[in-house]
Amino acid sequence: MNIAKKITLLFAILSAIITSLLSGFVWYFANDFAFEDFYKRLEARVNIASEIRLADDTTDNAYAKVRNQYLERLPDEKEFFIENAELAHIKIGVDLPNSFYNRIKEGKIARYRKENQFYVGKYLAKNQQNNIMIVSANDPFGFRELKDLQKILFAGFFLSIIMSFIVGWKFSNYVLNPLRNIIKSVKNIKAENLHLGLDVQGTDEMAQLS
């Protein structure tokens, strides 16, 4: 393998590494932001649902109507109110991990995602019982946007590899062209024209080599 091919290959490898790292960062932060935004929307709904459950007066129905009127329902949105927290995973029909319920029992808001189905739960004390309120929904729009972003990143990665090969080949030829000229001139010097010399231009390494 000549020097030009080595430079081109090295240039392509470095470009692939840099592009992969950049694509990874873009995917990670876009993925994190999309999920974080949807989780915030679910948390708002689980807080409102908890307040509705805690309301024992006549404003309960009015509160629920206001919620349904001004807060849009998410795709496949469901609410689960569990009076017996120990049987939560059986009552809602979804096998959520124990860490999800343990976080709720610690008084924190729990999050969980299974493919495109999101779950948010919180502790709810009512009638001296350890209750749990869980709201779930799916995010088809955000998930579709992430899929589109994934396709764009893959296409951009392969396109950058092709461009790096082209640019690397041009770059290596540009860098090695003075050396090729020196080699060509040296080959033209023979016993009958030893008086010929090399054309020295500039003060760089190529000029010193000449």
Side-chain angles (χ1 to χ4, degrees):
M1 182 181 296
N2 57 35
I3 297 178
K5 292 181 179 179
K6 290 181 179 179
I7 293 176
T8 303
L9 182 60
L10 180 61
F11 195 83
I13 293 174
L14 292 176
S15 299
I17 294 174
I18 294 173
T19 305
S20 298
L21 292 175
L22 180 61
S23 299
F25 277 117
V26 171
W27 171 255
Y28 173 79
F29 286 110
N31 191 71
D32 186 64
F33 174 78
F35 289 165
E36 180 66 25
D37 179 68
F38 195 74
Y39 275 128
K40 290 294 184 182
R41 298 171 69 182
L42 280 182
E43 287 178 8
R45 284 159 175 76
V46 79
N47 288 331
I48 293 176
S50 298
E51 292 295 331
I52 294 175
R53 285 286 180 175
L54 290 174
D56 293 326
D57 52 23
T58 57
T59 62
D60 187 4
N61 292 331
Y63 198 6
K65 289 180 180 179
V66 172
R67 183 254 187 240
N68 293 329
Q69 182 177 358
Y70 293 101
L71 195 62
E72 64 172 344
R73 296 194 68 84
L74 298 173
D76 197 25
E77 181 178 345
K78 300 177 182 178
E79 295 180 2
F80 306 95
F81 179 69
I82 303 99
E83 295 181 350
N84 188 349
E86 299 300 329
L87 301 177
H89 62 288
I90 298 177
K91 288 190 175 183
I92 69 174
V94 179
D95 188 16
L96 299 176
N98 292 330
S99 58
F100 180 84
Y101 297 108
N102 292 334
R103 185 173 178 82
I104 292 177
K105 293 176 183 178
E106 293 174 359
K108 302 176 182 178
I109 294 182
R111 296 175 173 182
Y112 180 70
R113 180 176 69 90
K114 186 174 183 181
E115 296 180 353
N116 194 31
Q117 192 72 22
F118 296 77
Y119 299 86
V120 171
K122 67 176 295 185
Y123 175 79
L124 180 62
K126 183 179 181 181
N127 299 329
Q128 297 181 347
Q129 291 183 351
N130 295 326
N131 305 314
I132 291 178
M133 173 61 69
I134 298 176
V135 175
S136 71
N138 62 58
D139 184 17
F141 303 106
F143 208 70
R144 190 182 305 121
E145 290 175 355
L146 289 176
K147 287 292 185 181
D148 292 339
L149 176 61
Q150 188 179 41
K151 294 178 182 178
I152 293 173
L153 291 177
F154 272 115
F157 174 78
F158 290 111
L159 181 61
S160 67
I161 297 299
I162 296 174
M163 292 299 298
S164 65
F165 268 106
I166 297 174
V167 174
W169 182 253
K170 295 291 184 180
F171 175 77
S172 62
N173 286 329
Y174 172 79
V175 171
L176 295 176
N177 191 55
L179 182 59
R180 293 192 181 103
N181 291 334
I182 293 175
I183 295 173
K184 182 178 179 180
S185 299
V186 169
K187 286 183 177 180
N188 291 330
I189 299 176
K190 299 179 181 179
E192 60 273 13
N193 57 2
L194 292 176
H195 63 281
L196 294 178
L198 299 178
D199 184 18
V200 180
Q201 297 180 356
T203 58
D204 58 7
E205 288 79 3
M206 289 299 176
Q208 296 177 21
L209 178 62
S210 298

